[in-house]
Amino acid sequence: MKISIIGTGYVGLVTGVGLASYGHKVICVDIDKKKIKAINKGTPPIYEKGLDKLLKNVLSNKQFLATTDLRSAILNTEITFIAVPSPSRKDNKIDLSYIRKVSCQIGSILSLKDSYHTLVVKSSVVPETCLKVVLPLIEKNSGKKAGKFGLCMNPEFLQEGQAVDDFMNPDRIIIGELYKKSGDSLVEVYKNFKGNIVRTSLQNAEMMKYASNALLGTLIS
């Protein structure tokens, strides 16, 4: 499948290179021109065991490309993963400014597209963010109602230091879906992965990520 990923940070780049390694055509998007140039030369901006080798492989196979052109990336792909930062603020609440901005941008670009397109939130967000923040902004800026495009939540469970192996060999793949059609698109993306696929609602998928983080935090403490 043709996939675009917004964000080339820890989650975005590992996801992009991983999906390209499974045979998908992937375009990663970022606003940092220096980072994009380095990635296209085979130099990842982060260190993860095995990432540099996989990146060079998918670049040489022409399965992967990094760009600053968001419009072209979305118009030329079928699925877009949102993997922008969602940091904590000083008041301990999540900062959704990057999510809001990119949702507006995606919506504007989707207004130019006739074919069905699935959006997948990969960033860690609090429950109901997809329904109450992402969905309304995309509808408003695209002029389309949900159903004309798909929306999923696909949380990541990556550990620093072994993120590549975690992505390539997941024990579970959570697909939160707004409608079955959008979930079907994401199932197609992961059809060659060995991890168990769990399909659920958007809110449940968002909660599963936080529940997992809470459990890990408890175990560490």
Side-chain angles (χ1 to χ4, degrees), residues 5 16 21 24 26 39 45 75 78 91-92 146 160-161 165 175:
I5 298 177
S21 297
H24 298 291
V26 178
I39 291 172
L75 292 179
E78 306 158 79
D91 59 2
N92 292 322
E160 290 190 21
D165 185 62
I175 297 177

Side-chain angles (χ1 to χ4, degrees), residues 22-38:
Y22 268 94
H24 298 291
K25 298 280 283 187
V26 178
I27 302 174
C28 268
V29 184
D30 202 290
I31 60 174
D32 190 327
K33 293 181 180 179
K34 289 184 178 180
K35 185 186 288 188
I36 292 299
K37 186 177 181 179

Side-chain angles (χ1 to χ4, degrees), residues 154-185:
N154 178 219
E156 51 85 15
F157 301 99
L158 307 178
Q159 299 180 65
E160 290 190 21
Q162 61 180 59
V164 172
D165 185 62
D166 284 344
F167 184 83
M168 300 296 283
N169 303 287
D171 59 353
R172 69 209 186 278
I173 298 169
I174 307 299
I175 297 177
E177 56 195 42
L178 181 60
Y179 296 118
K180 183 179 182 297
K181 184 176 180 179
S182 51
D184 288 344
S185 299

Side-chain angles (χ1 to χ4, degrees), residues 75 105-114 138 141-144:
L75 292 179
Q105 292 173 325
I106 291 171
S108 296
I109 297 168
L110 286 185
S111 68
L112 307 173
K113 191 168 186 176
D114 294 327
I138 292 173
N141 287 276
S142 68
K144 299 179 180 180

Side-chain angles (χ1 to χ4, degrees), residues 132-147:
K132 294 187 176 181
V133 177
V134 177
L135 181 59
L137 289 174
I138 292 173
E139 288 185 330
K140 177 181 178 181
N141 287 276
S142 68
K144 299 179 180 180
K145 290 294 183 181

